[in-house]
Coordinates of all heavy atoms in Angstrom, one line a residue:
H30 N -32.6 27.9 -64.1 CA -33.3 26.9 -64.8 C -34.0 27.5 -66.0 O -34.6 28.6 -65.9 CB -34.3 26.2 -63.9 CG -35.2 25.3 -64.6 ND1 -34.8 24.2 -65.3 CD2 -36.6 25.3 -64.7 CE1 -35.9 23.6 -65.9 NE2 -36.9 24.2 -65.5
H32 N -36.9 27.0 -68.0 CA -38.2 26.4 -68.0 C -38.8 26.3 -69.4 O -39.1 27.3 -70.0 CB -39.1 27.2 -67.0 CG -40.4 26.6 -66.8 ND1 -41.0 26.4 -65.5 CD2 -41.4 26.2 -67.6 CE1 -42.2 25.9 -65.6 NE2 -42.5 25.7 -66.8
W68 N -39.1 30.4 -70.2 CA -38.7 31.4 -69.2 C -37.5 30.8 -68.4 O -37.2 29.7 -68.5 CB -39.8 31.9 -68.4 CG -40.6 31.0 -67.5 CD1 -41.3 29.9 -67.9 CD2 -40.9 31.2 -66.1 NE1 -41.9 29.4 -66.8 CE2 -41.7 30.2 -65.7 CE3 -40.5 32.2 -65.2 CZ2 -42.2 30.1 -64.4 CZ3 -41.0 32.1 -63.9 CH2 -41.8 31.1 -63.5
H70 N -35.6 31.0 -64.4 CA -35.7 31.4 -63.0 C -34.8 30.6 -62.2 O -34.3 29.5 -62.6 CB -37.1 31.3 -62.6 CG -37.7 29.9 -62.6 ND1 -37.4 29.0 -61.7 CD2 -38.6 29.3 -63.5 CE1 -38.0 27.9 -61.9 NE2 -38.8 28.0 -63.0
H72 N -33.4 28.0 -59.3 CA -33.9 26.7 -58.8 C -33.1 26.2 -57.6 O -32.8 25.0 -57.5 CB -33.9 25.7 -60.0 CG -35.1 24.8 -60.0 ND1 -35.5 24.0 -59.0 CD2 -36.0 24.7 -61.1 CE1 -36.6 23.4 -59.4 NE2 -36.9 23.7 -60.7
H307 N -45.2 20.4 -62.8 CA -44.2 20.7 -63.8 C -43.2 19.6 -64.0 O -42.7 19.1 -63.0 CB -43.5 22.1 -63.5 CG -42.4 22.4 -64.4 ND1 -42.5 22.5 -65.8 CD2 -41.1 22.7 -64.1 CE1 -41.3 22.8 -66.3 NE2 -40.4 23.0 -65.3
H309 N -39.4 18.7 -65.9 CA -38.2 19.1 -66.7 C -37.8 18.0 -67.7 O -38.1 16.8 -67.5 CB -37.0 19.2 -65.7 CG -37.0 20.3 -64.7 ND1 -35.9 21.0 -64.3 CD2 -38.1 20.9 -64.1 CE1 -36.2 21.9 -63.4 NE2 -37.5 21.9 -63.2
H360 N -42.0 18.4 -60.2 CA -42.4 19.1 -59.0 C -43.7 19.9 -59.1 O -44.2 20.2 -60.2 CB -41.2 20.0 -58.5 CG -40.8 21.1 -59.4 ND1 -41.4 22.4 -59.3 CD2 -39.9 21.2 -60.4 CE1 -40.8 23.1 -60.2 NE2 -39.9 22.4 -60.9
H362 N -45.2 23.5 -59.0 CA -44.6 24.8 -59.3 C -45.1 25.9 -58.4 O -44.7 27.1 -58.6 CB -44.8 25.1 -60.8 CG -43.6 25.9 -61.4 ND1 -43.4 27.2 -61.1 CD2 -42.6 25.5 -62.2 CE1 -42.3 27.6 -61.8 NE2 -41.8 26.6 -62.4
Ligands
C2O144 CU1 -40.1 26.5 -63.6 CU2 -38.4 23.2 -61.9 O1 -39.2 24.9 -62.7

Side-chain angles (χ1 to χ4, degrees):
H30 170 59
H32 184 130
W68 65 304
H70 62 76
H72 221 303
H307 172 54
H309 292 210
H360 62 91
H362 215 284

